[in-house]
Amino acid sequence: MTTMTMAKALNEGLRAAMRADEKVLLMGEDIGTLGGVFRVTEGLKSEFGPRRVLDTPLAESGIVGSAIGLAMRGYRPVCEIQFDGFVYPAFDQITSQLAKQTYRHGGAQSFPVVIRIPYGGHIGAVEHHQESPEAYFAHTAGLRVVAPATPHDAYWMIQEAIAGNDPVVFLEPKSRYWPKGEVDLSASGAALHASRVVRRGTDVTLIGHGAMVATLLDAAELAAAEGVSAEVVDLRSLSPIDYAPILESVRRTGRAVVVQEAPQQVSVGSEIAATVGERAFYSLQSPVLRVSGYDTPFPPAKLEGVYLPDVDRILEAVDRALAH
Amino acid sequence: MTTMTMAKALNEGLRAAMRADEKVLLMGEDIGTLGGVFRVTEGLKSEFGPRRVLDTPLAESGIVGSAIGLAMRGYRPVCEIQFDGFVYPAFDQITSQLAKQTYRHGGAQSFPVVIRIPYGGHIGAVEHHQESPEAYFAHTAGLRVVAPATPHDAYWMIQEAIAGNDPVVFLEPKSRYWPKGEVDLSASGAALHASRVVRRGTDVTLIGHGAMVATLLDAAELAAAEGVSAEVVDLRSLSPIDYAPILESVRRTGRAVVVQEAPQQVSVGSEIAATVGERAFYSLQSPVLRVSGYDTPFPPAKLEGVYLPDVDRILEAVDRALAH
Amino acid sequence: MATDAIRLLSPEGVLIESEENAAWLPLISALSEQQLLDFHRQMAVIRRFDIEAGNLQRQGQLALWIPSLGQEAAQVGSGYAARAQDTIFPAYREHVVGRIRGVDPMRIIELLRGQDHGGWDPKQHGNFHLYTLVIGSQSLHATGYAMGVAFDGAAATGDPERDEAVLVYFGDGATSQGDVSEALVFAASYQTPQVFFLQNNHWAISVPVATQSRTPLYRRAAGYGVAGLRVDGNDALAAYAVTRTALDEARAGLGPRFVEALTYRMGAHTTSDDPTKYRDDAELEYWTAHDPIARFEAFLRGRGVGDDFFASVAEEGEDLAADVRRRTLALESPPATKIFDHVYTDPHPDVAEQRAWLLAYEASFGGQA
Amino acid sequence: MATDAIRLLSPEGVLIESEENAAWLPLISALSEQQLLDFHRQMAVIRRFDIEAGNLQRQGQLALWIPSLGQEAAQVGSGYAARAQDTIFPAYREHVVGRIRGVDPMRIIELLRGQDHGGWDPKQHGNFHLYTLVIGSQSLHATGYAMGVAFDGAAATGDPERDEAVLVYFGDGATSQGDVSEALVFAASYQTPQVFFLQNNHWAISVPVATQSRTPLYRRAAGYGVAGLRVDGNDALAAYAVTRTALDEARAGLGPRFVEALTYRMGAHTTSDDPTKYRDDAELEYWTAHDPIARFEAFLRGRGVGDDFFASVAEEGEDLAADVRRRTLALESPPATKIFDHVYTDPHPDVAEQRAWLLAYEASFGGQA
Ligand SMILES: Cc1ncc(C[n+]2csc(CCOP(=O)(O)OP(=O)(O)O)c2C)c(N)n1
Ligand SMILES: Cc1ncc(C[n+]2csc(CCOP(=O)(O)OP(=O)(O)O)c2C)c(N)n1
Ligand SMILES: [Mg+2]
Ligand SMILES: [Mg+2]
């Protein structure tokens, strides 16, 4: 066990993946000499050289499109998109090409391309730098979508994502880059898509991913002080979603609140509410509630505190769930 | 009342909008001299000239991006995307620019841009020509998303979409372009976002949009023969969704089945199931069920019949809903 | 035909042994008689196939047909210019190139019938990649692949028999797509061993090339630091010599190259299209008079190739057409569960669950699945 | 500095009255003394403001600061080249141009503090559009706007005092984005009255311009049929003369133009950046010696402008800095409900509902909303 930030854990995970397989290469804007705007790739260009850590031209479609070609050549490209809001120029290559290539090739060829996206709010940044675009990818068949919540998960999940044979959108909760946590560099980790119960409880199930997991734990702590026992599930994977622990939990608690930073409409939260509503129908004592970003563009930084779900809004929903 | 196809109704609606406001202009690939690959814009270039009906270069981001600039100049551009699967190159301009411009401008400027997309399956076409991308747009705050199911709705909805002051993604169910229906050219239509009950029933509420509405009506007819009374709601608008008629219906029937061509995960159907599950919780006698495309890429044409929801799959879900 | 296009065969089929062609002519002399005959055979046989496929579409057997009619010379010349170790990324109209690289035309039939979205494994078929229907996308895949070739040290070793190059096809309409520009940027930045081959067939469905560009398109390349040339695309020999040279330069590590072949889409864009709505008879007449296959036939006849050969080619075309018709009519629908195959490479719980559901559902009707 | 760049002022600030500059010099002679002084004033005052804004960011008052340091000449020359009726689409670093067009620098402060995503109404502020943070996007907006100008008949009437043109700014990194290529395609196709103004400051964050292009970027334009020129971007007079001419040609209906200004980002990319990680001291030294403001000051002094003027400019800079600091410290957070304002122009039920919910929710805490 060692203590490190998520940024460092990702760095170590990438390093381990690159050492394990020389076909792994990194590409993106400013990831080489600079080490990425979040320093996640720091030191990797000097260790592995400019042919394995590529400072690309400034073009996201170019990055993903050429990564597809590199995958056809047998490489395992890991692309960095500098910020969440800059992934959209690559959307066509991701949606119509990357996600569908394995299918189109009838399995004759795999497309092990990982797209790393620092995502989400809480860092007080300007427009396009605080978004949560997971719904777009989770709706797209052919992609896998994951988001670690802790340094330890980041460490093994990035390696699992790279080692797998499918395209993975790897969402990194950028507000969690700097807090430190325990990382077991020798542990091999769980299956990439396994959700996990991070706190046991009996009255209500709180479900979230990425930076929201820490907020949910805070909320559960406060709820406990008020006599409410909340179970917290870290989704880890947004596509596919590992429903078994969620349904098991909801069948016990009878109540669920799904929390996310993304806008609510047609979101991963909607999907979970729909599926839990369907599969745990007879166990539910109150409707599955969602706490999300509002259905507006991500607001100016000074208002992100209003926009993003916080402990108070989560507890308000818990109260509503329990009031039923 | 006159009888015409949806393609013709759209053509007449566009013509009426262009006559009413000289700032309305059409842009897209092959929409001028050819009249569009579906002939929806037939005759408009000869009536309004090449400055109001633009055969653009082959670049979707260019089309939407320049439409934004034209809107800044006071125009009301109506863009045609040739097929559903070709909208993704424009995704950045739609998501990060068009959807957010009004917000960014603090209302100093409106962005009345309509993006027409022939969408959906049932026409036996090759890859990228049969998709239902509505979830991507319905998740995006700042856009409105609508889809007519009949020639009459197409006629007035396209005019409402153009007359409104917000960006609208206007989804045209291409398999419904050719069947004829009654169109009242003098009726002004409902509010753009009003859903409508198209068949009354008491046992189960069937909800859908676009080409699925006709399928739902067929299913309801067959269900009636088996003694099941199904109510059918045509959503018409996917963002915002007009829930009042839906909730009113579900509160009566206690059962709902949402049907769509799009893949199920993180879809408009998920949103409706989540919201109905939340707002009609105490009325539901069985879980809200979804019948959707599978969570795979849209398959080769020979298999679209397997992929797309049909009467049998809808009735199977109705049976399940009633069995609870 | 613009005067800045390289032309080795006159419209009458005469080899133009001019001063300015001096650089290219040795490449033509180096072609064996058999190779020249093959140029013609591939063009003529695929044209016959093309007509048959169009008929099959009209008879409801295919969802769509995309003819290569009129563009055979650009394709046969560039296709044969590629060496065995090269990798090719087509758009969707390169039936001649596919045949040269060993793709059974039935795979293209099946694709456009709606049986499959791909159809062949590029690795097993002359490194000829799948058709790409989203305009311009493949240009980036080709560039990425070529980056990989360079990173692997599989180019620029100085051995043209082993050094690899990449050839990517796209149309005049495609040049307007941002992806093609980004592909040029990446290619120039990584100095990929790659040739961009533009078939300027003068139309993007109903839109004339003048809407895409008011300046000759081969000049686009220079702005990216990529050397560009224009060739008479209805002249198979010019297409061959120029592409051959470009590929060999690229494989030698001299950087990416760009070739614009001026040709003409003599037929409809696809069977869904009606070109009489938007283009002149005169234009079609001009280009019919410049038919690439007729030109090559005249060239061969000028070299003494006789009726026997042309009759054998016609017969081969008829045989292929008949065979394709027969095999098309014998095609069966793929099994329903194919919709779930290879959505992912690794196991996926949702796909497995939906597949199981479909099987159980179909079984409930009495096992028609 | 590349030799193909147009330069009117030597690095020592001497006007180069050479043969090859003959076409441009009359434009400079036509500038009044006051105009020349204003060139300097705007550059120097914004540089002082820029430093203050950087300090405010470091003190936690701003989310980010984007300096224009080093690029003032390219901006002041091109900014003054635009006529009142012209419309300008900046990227995000054009503080000098914004000031010329009447945007209060506080609006930029508020944007980068995170109070607002926009900040001003272009129609009320010299037709200076909002900053666009997604690289290259604004190039298409500018082209669309310019299409509208052409469709309105507001250009090419022959009256330069009334004919409108559009000026769009972007960086060297942006040239790699597909959108910029598509903007060139559309501009050429519709022959828009528009100037593409590229500030090549040699870096895109940590990536040198050589990664984006191995050939001079102004040559990119010719491949689209757009005339392109390169100018010494640290020479305010050259930037002025060339952009003025390009805009006047564009407004006259001669088609779009492209100007590459060679300049240098002397500071960090933004306050989040640390350029010592990726660039040489020597490079910075070279460019510091070529500081555009120092060059212009030398030019003015050569014309007899004295200390008084420079002192008054320094004072104006100090005043602005103090004023901006004072006003920044006085800023209050926007009201919570601002997140719902103007998401749509027409009423929207979901927004209304969520807004009402928020108000009720905040009221439940005792009305802090
Ligand atoms: C991104 C995208 N937009 C639109 C289309 C529809 N479309 C198919 S072919 C075509 C014209 C292509 O023209 P060109 O690139 O010249 O190739 P050609 O068909 O002439 O060979 C269009 C617009 C598409 N396939 N992809
Ligand atoms: C689409 C997109 N990708 C990435 C970024 C992140 N980013 C912001 S500025 C920048 C570099 C821009 O370089 P350049 O165009 O040369 O302009 P400069 O900042 O040098 O003025 C990058 C990569 C972005 N804003 N937008
Ligand atoms: Mg073409
Ligand atoms: Mg730059």
PDB file of all heavy atoms in Angstrom, chain A residues 61-62 73 75 93 103 109 142-143 165-166 279, chain C residues 123 141 152 164 179 182 339 344-347 353:
ATOM      1  N   SER A  61     -10.715  15.076 -33.746  1.00  0.00           N
ATOM      2  CA  SER A  61     -11.151  14.050 -34.691  1.00  0.00           C
ATOM      3  C   SER A  61      -9.916  13.360 -35.260  1.00  0.00           C
ATOM      4  O   SER A  61      -9.895  12.136 -35.431  1.00  0.00           O
ATOM      5  CB  SER A  61     -11.990  14.685 -35.800  1.00  0.00           C
ATOM      6  OG  SER A  61     -12.584  13.693 -36.599  1.00  0.00           O
ATOM      7  N   GLY A  62      -8.903  14.148 -35.506  1.00  0.00           N
ATOM      8  CA  GLY A  62      -7.634  13.601 -35.979  1.00  0.00           C
ATOM      9  C   GLY A  62      -7.029  12.629 -34.984  1.00  0.00           C
ATOM     10  O   GLY A  62      -6.493  11.583 -35.364  1.00  0.00           O
ATOM     11  N   ARG A  73      -3.400  -1.249 -37.148  1.00  0.00           N
ATOM     12  CA  ARG A  73      -2.003  -1.658 -37.341  1.00  0.00           C
ATOM     13  C   ARG A  73      -1.506  -2.502 -36.160  1.00  0.00           C
ATOM     14  O   ARG A  73      -0.364  -2.947 -36.145  1.00  0.00           O
ATOM     15  CB  ARG A  73      -1.150  -0.396 -37.495  1.00  0.00           C
ATOM     16  CG  ARG A  73       0.323  -0.613 -37.723  1.00  0.00           C
ATOM     17  CD  ARG A  73       0.663  -1.070 -39.137  1.00  0.00           C
ATOM     18  NE  ARG A  73       2.043  -1.514 -39.267  1.00  0.00           N
ATOM     19  CZ  ARG A  73       2.587  -2.038 -40.371  1.00  0.00           C
ATOM     20  NH1 ARG A  73       1.849  -2.177 -41.465  1.00  0.00           N
ATOM     21  NH2 ARG A  73       3.826  -2.412 -40.398  1.00  0.00           N
ATOM     22  N   TYR A  75      -1.683  -1.456 -32.822  1.00  0.00           N
ATOM     23  CA  TYR A  75      -1.352  -0.671 -31.628  1.00  0.00           C
ATOM     24  C   TYR A  75      -2.539  -0.623 -30.661  1.00  0.00           C
ATOM     25  O   TYR A  75      -3.675  -0.967 -31.031  1.00  0.00           O
ATOM     26  CB  TYR A  75      -0.938   0.755 -32.039  1.00  0.00           C
ATOM     27  CG  TYR A  75       0.480   0.792 -32.571  1.00  0.00           C
ATOM     28  CD1 TYR A  75       0.745   0.540 -33.912  1.00  0.00           C
ATOM     29  CD2 TYR A  75       1.554   1.028 -31.720  1.00  0.00           C
ATOM     30  CE1 TYR A  75       2.043   0.524 -34.400  1.00  0.00           C
ATOM     31  CE2 TYR A  75       2.861   1.018 -32.195  1.00  0.00           C
ATOM     32  CZ  TYR A  75       3.105   0.772 -33.533  1.00  0.00           C
ATOM     33  OH  TYR A  75       4.387   0.761 -33.996  1.00  0.00           O
ATOM     34  N   GLN A  93     -15.973  10.343 -35.195  1.00  0.00           N
ATOM     35  CA  GLN A  93     -15.024   9.228 -35.206  1.00  0.00           C
ATOM     36  C   GLN A  93     -15.301   8.259 -34.059  1.00  0.00           C
ATOM     37  O   GLN A  93     -15.131   7.049 -34.209  1.00  0.00           O
ATOM     38  CB  GLN A  93     -13.571   9.745 -35.141  1.00  0.00           C
ATOM     39  CG  GLN A  93     -13.069  10.354 -36.453  1.00  0.00           C
ATOM     40  CD  GLN A  93     -12.805   9.306 -37.550  1.00  0.00           C
ATOM     41  OE1 GLN A  93     -12.784   8.112 -37.316  1.00  0.00           O
ATOM     42  NE2 GLN A  93     -12.617   9.787 -38.778  1.00  0.00           N
ATOM     43  N   TYR A 103     -17.821  -4.448 -34.916  1.00  0.00           N
ATOM     44  CA  TYR A 103     -19.042  -4.997 -35.528  1.00  0.00           C
ATOM     45  C   TYR A 103     -18.887  -5.062 -37.045  1.00  0.00           C
ATOM     46  O   TYR A 103     -19.145  -6.084 -37.680  1.00  0.00           O
ATOM     47  CB  TYR A 103     -20.179  -4.056 -35.152  1.00  0.00           C
ATOM     48  CG  TYR A 103     -21.583  -4.584 -35.329  1.00  0.00           C
ATOM     49  CD1 TYR A 103     -22.037  -5.694 -34.623  1.00  0.00           C
ATOM     50  CD2 TYR A 103     -22.492  -3.922 -36.162  1.00  0.00           C
ATOM     51  CE1 TYR A 103     -23.355  -6.127 -34.752  1.00  0.00           C
ATOM     52  CE2 TYR A 103     -23.795  -4.341 -36.293  1.00  0.00           C
ATOM     53  CZ  TYR A 103     -24.233  -5.454 -35.587  1.00  0.00           C
ATOM     54  OH  TYR A 103     -25.532  -5.878 -35.706  1.00  0.00           O
ATOM     55  N   GLN A 109     -11.071  -8.042 -36.404  1.00  0.00           N
ATOM     56  CA  GLN A 109     -10.108  -7.053 -35.922  1.00  0.00           C
ATOM     57  C   GLN A 109     -10.699  -6.422 -34.655  1.00  0.00           C
ATOM     58  O   GLN A 109     -11.895  -6.123 -34.616  1.00  0.00           O
ATOM     59  CB  GLN A 109      -9.956  -6.010 -37.044  1.00  0.00           C
ATOM     60  CG  GLN A 109      -9.430  -4.663 -36.655  1.00  0.00           C
ATOM     61  CD  GLN A 109      -7.921  -4.608 -36.771  1.00  0.00           C
ATOM     62  OE1 GLN A 109      -7.366  -4.819 -37.828  1.00  0.00           O
ATOM     63  NE2 GLN A 109      -7.263  -4.294 -35.664  1.00  0.00           N
ATOM     64  N   GLY A 142     -21.264  -0.353 -28.466  1.00  0.00           N
ATOM     65  CA  GLY A 142     -19.913  -0.592 -28.993  1.00  0.00           C
ATOM     66  C   GLY A 142     -18.834   0.037 -28.137  1.00  0.00           C
ATOM     67  O   GLY A 142     -17.659  -0.296 -28.280  1.00  0.00           O
ATOM     68  N   LEU A 143     -19.237   0.971 -27.284  1.00  0.00           N
ATOM     69  CA  LEU A 143     -18.281   1.576 -26.355  1.00  0.00           C
ATOM     70  C   LEU A 143     -18.483   0.981 -24.969  1.00  0.00           C
ATOM     71  O   LEU A 143     -19.575   0.561 -24.608  1.00  0.00           O
ATOM     72  CB  LEU A 143     -18.506   3.093 -26.253  1.00  0.00           C
ATOM     73  CG  LEU A 143     -18.422   3.915 -27.538  1.00  0.00           C
ATOM     74  CD1 LEU A 143     -18.758   5.378 -27.240  1.00  0.00           C
ATOM     75  CD2 LEU A 143     -17.036   3.793 -28.165  1.00  0.00           C
ATOM     76  N   ASN A 165     -10.023  -5.517 -24.987  1.00  0.00           N
ATOM     77  CA  ASN A 165      -9.948  -5.465 -26.441  1.00  0.00           C
ATOM     78  C   ASN A 165     -11.004  -4.581 -27.086  1.00  0.00           C
ATOM     79  O   ASN A 165     -11.214  -4.633 -28.292  1.00  0.00           O
ATOM     80  CB  ASN A 165     -10.026  -6.882 -27.000  1.00  0.00           C
ATOM     81  CG  ASN A 165      -8.798  -7.679 -26.616  1.00  0.00           C
ATOM     82  OD1 ASN A 165      -7.678  -7.283 -26.953  1.00  0.00           O
ATOM     83  ND2 ASN A 165      -8.976  -8.760 -25.872  1.00  0.00           N
ATOM     84  N   ASP A 166     -11.695  -3.810 -26.263  1.00  0.00           N
ATOM     85  CA  ASP A 166     -12.754  -2.957 -26.799  1.00  0.00           C
ATOM     86  C   ASP A 166     -12.450  -1.488 -26.543  1.00  0.00           C
ATOM     87  O   ASP A 166     -11.662  -1.158 -25.652  1.00  0.00           O
ATOM     88  CB  ASP A 166     -14.083  -3.328 -26.119  1.00  0.00           C
ATOM     89  CG  ASP A 166     -14.564  -4.707 -26.539  1.00  0.00           C
ATOM     90  OD1 ASP A 166     -14.602  -4.951 -27.762  1.00  0.00           O
ATOM     91  OD2 ASP A 166     -14.904  -5.521 -25.668  1.00  0.00           O
ATOM     92  N   ARG A 279     -36.710  -3.445 -12.438  1.00  0.00           N
ATOM     93  CA  ARG A 279     -36.267  -4.721 -11.877  1.00  0.00           C
ATOM     94  C   ARG A 279     -36.472  -4.860 -10.370  1.00  0.00           C
ATOM     95  O   ARG A 279     -36.408  -5.954  -9.840  1.00  0.00           O
ATOM     96  CB  ARG A 279     -34.786  -4.937 -12.208  1.00  0.00           C
ATOM     97  CG  ARG A 279     -34.573  -4.866 -13.707  1.00  0.00           C
ATOM     98  CD  ARG A 279     -33.321  -5.569 -14.123  1.00  0.00           C
ATOM     99  NE  ARG A 279     -33.164  -5.418 -15.561  1.00  0.00           N
ATOM    100  CZ  ARG A 279     -32.081  -5.761 -16.232  1.00  0.00           C
ATOM    101  NH1 ARG A 279     -31.064  -6.301 -15.598  1.00  0.00           N
ATOM    102  NH2 ARG A 279     -32.015  -5.605 -17.540  1.00  0.00           N
TER     103      ARG A 279
ATOM    104  N   LYS C 123      -6.932  -8.182 -43.648  1.00  0.00           N
ATOM    105  CA  LYS C 123      -5.648  -8.901 -43.568  1.00  0.00           C
ATOM    106  C   LYS C 123      -5.604 -10.097 -44.510  1.00  0.00           C
ATOM    107  O   LYS C 123      -4.549 -10.485 -44.955  1.00  0.00           O
ATOM    108  CB  LYS C 123      -5.401  -9.364 -42.134  1.00  0.00           C
ATOM    109  CG  LYS C 123      -5.190  -8.208 -41.159  1.00  0.00           C
ATOM    110  CD  LYS C 123      -4.526  -8.701 -39.871  1.00  0.00           C
ATOM    111  CE  LYS C 123      -4.563  -7.609 -38.801  1.00  0.00           C
ATOM    112  NZ  LYS C 123      -5.953  -7.339 -38.328  1.00  0.00           N
ATOM    113  N   HIS C 141      -8.136   7.097 -40.770  1.00  0.00           N
ATOM    114  CA  HIS C 141      -7.721   5.731 -40.432  1.00  0.00           C
ATOM    115  C   HIS C 141      -6.450   5.395 -41.210  1.00  0.00           C
ATOM    116  O   HIS C 141      -5.519   4.787 -40.680  1.00  0.00           O
ATOM    117  CB  HIS C 141      -8.833   4.728 -40.750  1.00  0.00           C
ATOM    118  CG  HIS C 141     -10.158   5.109 -40.150  1.00  0.00           C
ATOM    119  ND1 HIS C 141     -11.355   4.604 -40.567  1.00  0.00           N
ATOM    120  CD2 HIS C 141     -10.468   5.984 -39.160  1.00  0.00           C
ATOM    121  CE1 HIS C 141     -12.340   5.134 -39.865  1.00  0.00           C
ATOM    122  NE2 HIS C 141     -11.823   5.975 -39.004  1.00  0.00           N
ATOM    123  N   ASP C 152       6.673   1.387 -36.809  1.00  0.00           N
ATOM    124  CA  ASP C 152       7.189   0.019 -36.851  1.00  0.00           C
ATOM    125  C   ASP C 152       8.516  -0.080 -37.602  1.00  0.00           C
ATOM    126  O   ASP C 152       9.097  -1.165 -37.668  1.00  0.00           O
ATOM    127  CB  ASP C 152       6.183  -0.899 -37.582  1.00  0.00           C
ATOM    128  CG  ASP C 152       4.952  -1.173 -36.754  1.00  0.00           C
ATOM    129  OD1 ASP C 152       4.972  -0.891 -35.547  1.00  0.00           O
ATOM    130  OD2 ASP C 152       3.956  -1.675 -37.311  1.00  0.00           O
ATOM    131  N   GLU C 164       6.707  -0.563 -46.713  1.00  0.00           N
ATOM    132  CA  GLU C 164       5.253  -0.471 -46.885  1.00  0.00           C
ATOM    133  C   GLU C 164       4.810   0.964 -47.123  1.00  0.00           C
ATOM    134  O   GLU C 164       5.408   1.912 -46.632  1.00  0.00           O
ATOM    135  CB  GLU C 164       4.543  -0.981 -45.623  1.00  0.00           C
ATOM    136  CG  GLU C 164       4.777  -2.449 -45.338  1.00  0.00           C
ATOM    137  CD  GLU C 164       3.981  -2.921 -44.123  1.00  0.00           C
ATOM    138  OE1 GLU C 164       2.829  -2.466 -43.936  1.00  0.00           O
ATOM    139  OE2 GLU C 164       4.525  -3.727 -43.360  1.00  0.00           O
ATOM    140  N   ASP C 179     -12.333  16.130 -41.677  1.00  0.00           N
ATOM    141  CA  ASP C 179     -11.481  14.966 -41.429  1.00  0.00           C
ATOM    142  C   ASP C 179     -10.369  14.831 -42.465  1.00  0.00           C
ATOM    143  O   ASP C 179      -9.267  14.377 -42.132  1.00  0.00           O
ATOM    144  CB  ASP C 179     -12.316  13.673 -41.431  1.00  0.00           C
ATOM    145  CG  ASP C 179     -12.862  13.358 -40.047  1.00  0.00           C
ATOM    146  OD1 ASP C 179     -12.714  14.188 -39.131  1.00  0.00           O
ATOM    147  OD2 ASP C 179     -13.443  12.272 -39.884  1.00  0.00           O
ATOM    148  N   GLU C 182      -7.703  17.205 -41.496  1.00  0.00           N
ATOM    149  CA  GLU C 182      -6.964  16.713 -40.324  1.00  0.00           C
ATOM    150  C   GLU C 182      -6.048  15.551 -40.714  1.00  0.00           C
ATOM    151  O   GLU C 182      -4.939  15.411 -40.172  1.00  0.00           O
ATOM    152  CB  GLU C 182      -7.937  16.342 -39.196  1.00  0.00           C
ATOM    153  CG  GLU C 182      -8.710  17.579 -38.715  1.00  0.00           C
ATOM    154  CD  GLU C 182      -9.542  17.367 -37.443  1.00  0.00           C
ATOM    155  OE1 GLU C 182      -9.389  16.343 -36.766  1.00  0.00           O
ATOM    156  OE2 GLU C 182     -10.356  18.264 -37.137  1.00  0.00           O
ATOM    157  N   ILE C 339     -27.168  -9.957 -35.157  1.00  0.00           N
ATOM    158  CA  ILE C 339     -27.146  -8.552 -34.714  1.00  0.00           C
ATOM    159  C   ILE C 339     -26.307  -8.377 -33.441  1.00  0.00           C
ATOM    160  O   ILE C 339     -25.863  -7.281 -33.149  1.00  0.00           O
ATOM    161  CB  ILE C 339     -28.555  -7.939 -34.512  1.00  0.00           C
ATOM    162  CG1 ILE C 339     -29.291  -8.522 -33.314  1.00  0.00           C
ATOM    163  CG2 ILE C 339     -29.417  -8.084 -35.757  1.00  0.00           C
ATOM    164  CD1 ILE C 339     -30.583  -7.769 -33.009  1.00  0.00           C
ATOM    165  N   TYR C 344     -18.870  -6.287 -29.394  1.00  0.00           N
ATOM    166  CA  TYR C 344     -17.634  -6.133 -28.634  1.00  0.00           C
ATOM    167  C   TYR C 344     -16.747  -7.344 -28.920  1.00  0.00           C
ATOM    168  O   TYR C 344     -17.248  -8.375 -29.372  1.00  0.00           O
ATOM    169  CB  TYR C 344     -17.924  -6.067 -27.129  1.00  0.00           C
ATOM    170  CG  TYR C 344     -18.793  -4.890 -26.743  1.00  0.00           C
ATOM    171  CD1 TYR C 344     -20.182  -4.998 -26.749  1.00  0.00           C
ATOM    172  CD2 TYR C 344     -18.230  -3.660 -26.391  1.00  0.00           C
ATOM    173  CE1 TYR C 344     -20.983  -3.909 -26.423  1.00  0.00           C
ATOM    174  CE2 TYR C 344     -19.029  -2.572 -26.061  1.00  0.00           C
ATOM    175  CZ  TYR C 344     -20.403  -2.696 -26.081  1.00  0.00           C
ATOM    176  OH  TYR C 344     -21.191  -1.624 -25.770  1.00  0.00           O
ATOM    177  N   THR C 345     -15.482  -7.205 -28.627  1.00  0.00           N
ATOM    178  CA  THR C 345     -14.580  -8.354 -28.742  1.00  0.00           C
ATOM    179  C   THR C 345     -14.648  -9.189 -27.468  1.00  0.00           C
ATOM    180  O   THR C 345     -14.785 -10.414 -27.524  1.00  0.00           O
ATOM    181  CB  THR C 345     -13.138  -7.880 -28.979  1.00  0.00           C
ATOM    182  OG1 THR C 345     -13.090  -7.217 -30.247  1.00  0.00           O
ATOM    183  CG2 THR C 345     -12.165  -9.050 -28.984  1.00  0.00           C
ATOM    184  N   ASP C 346     -14.567  -8.531 -26.321  1.00  0.00           N
ATOM    185  CA  ASP C 346     -14.626  -9.249 -25.050  1.00  0.00           C
ATOM    186  C   ASP C 346     -16.096  -9.459 -24.657  1.00  0.00           C
ATOM    187  O   ASP C 346     -16.982  -8.747 -25.127  1.00  0.00           O
ATOM    188  CB  ASP C 346     -13.883  -8.438 -23.976  1.00  0.00           C
ATOM    189  CG  ASP C 346     -12.383  -8.304 -24.283  1.00  0.00           C
ATOM    190  OD1 ASP C 346     -11.837  -9.188 -24.962  1.00  0.00           O
ATOM    191  OD2 ASP C 346     -11.780  -7.307 -23.847  1.00  0.00           O
ATOM    192  N   PRO C 347     -16.361 -10.435 -23.814  1.00  0.00           N
ATOM    193  CA  PRO C 347     -17.747 -10.700 -23.410  1.00  0.00           C
ATOM    194  C   PRO C 347     -18.411  -9.450 -22.824  1.00  0.00           C
ATOM    195  O   PRO C 347     -17.747  -8.628 -22.184  1.00  0.00           O
ATOM    196  CB  PRO C 347     -17.604 -11.786 -22.330  1.00  0.00           C
ATOM    197  CG  PRO C 347     -16.276 -12.422 -22.596  1.00  0.00           C
ATOM    198  CD  PRO C 347     -15.399 -11.353 -23.169  1.00  0.00           C
ATOM    199  N   GLU C 353     -27.280 -10.752 -22.516  1.00  0.00           N
ATOM    200  CA  GLU C 353     -28.641 -10.807 -21.974  1.00  0.00           C
ATOM    201  C   GLU C 353     -29.684 -10.543 -23.071  1.00  0.00           C
ATOM    202  O   GLU C 353     -30.709 -11.230 -23.153  1.00  0.00           O
ATOM    203  CB  GLU C 353     -28.754  -9.755 -20.865  1.00  0.00           C
ATOM    204  CG  GLU C 353     -30.075  -9.785 -20.140  1.00  0.00           C
ATOM    205  CD  GLU C 353     -30.138  -8.704 -19.064  1.00  0.00           C
ATOM    206  OE1 GLU C 353     -29.133  -8.524 -18.348  1.00  0.00           O
ATOM    207  OE2 GLU C 353     -31.194  -8.042 -18.963  1.00  0.00           O
TER     208      GLU C 353
END
